[in-house]
Amino acid sequence: MTAVVEFYQFLMKRKKFWLIPIFVVLFLVGGLLLLTQGSVVAPLIYTLF
């Protein structure tokens, strides 16, 4: 959790707000990959793509 706080402080101090959408998308795709791996939800996700 400290890494998230430090990353947030870095973004606010350096004013690199354009990085926020990139990391949100990466986090969502990573969560989707973890959810589909060996899950009952996997066939539903595969039909979306």
Side-chain angles (χ1 to χ4, degrees):
M1 194 64 180
T2 352
V4 175
V5 173
E6 287 182 22
F7 182 66
Y8 176 76
Q9 290 173 347
F10 168 76
L11 290 177
M12 294 302 121
K13 187 173 184 178
R14 304 278 187 203
K15 307 229 186 294
K16 303 233 180 240
F17 300 116
W18 57 271
L19 287 174
I20 294 173
I22 295 171
F23 280 98
V24 168
V25 169
L26 285 175
F27 179 75
L28 290 175
V29 169
L32 185 65
L33 287 174
L34 286 176
L35 182 68
T36 59
Q37 196 170 19
S39 170
V40 179
V41 184
L44 299 174
I45 300 298
Y46 291 142
T47 58
L48 293 176
F49 300 105

